[in-house]
Amino acid sequence: FAFTKHSPFLSPSILPTLSQSSPILGSLQQLRFVKYGTEYQPSQRKRKRRHGFLARLRSRTGRKILLRRQAKGRKYLSH
């Protein structure tokens, strides 16, 4: 599906007016590179406590995850 001249969604006559009328839309069209944040700060202790084998065994849904992964034939069931 391609936008044609007669497309009701984004006609070429609307695009220039949108970018000129709103500075936000104008800046969105010029966005090329997205800088991602630094959210992931690895910690072995937190990883094991949240995703580890014993953490999976403690909860009902965690046991379901282990059973699913075992049935699928995963070599590693968890961290």
Side-chain angles (χ1 to χ4, degrees), residues 10-46:
L10 290 176
S11 66
S13 62
I14 292 177
L15 282 176
T17 57
L18 282 176
S19 62
Q20 291 170 356
S21 64
S22 172
I24 296 171
L25 288 176
S27 65
L28 284 177
Q29 288 178 344
Q30 295 173 3
L31 185 66
R32 286 190 183 182
F33 303 106
V34 179
K35 289 185 85 174
Y36 292 105
T38 56
E39 288 87 6
Y40 182 63
Q41 300 296 324
S43 166
Q44 287 283 346
R45 184 176 293 171
K46 286 184 183 179

Side-chain angles (χ1 to χ4, degrees), residues 42-52:
S43 166
Q44 287 283 346
R45 184 176 293 171
K46 286 184 183 179
R47 182 173 65 91
K48 292 280 191 179
R49 283 185 180 171
R50 288 183 188 156
H51 308 291

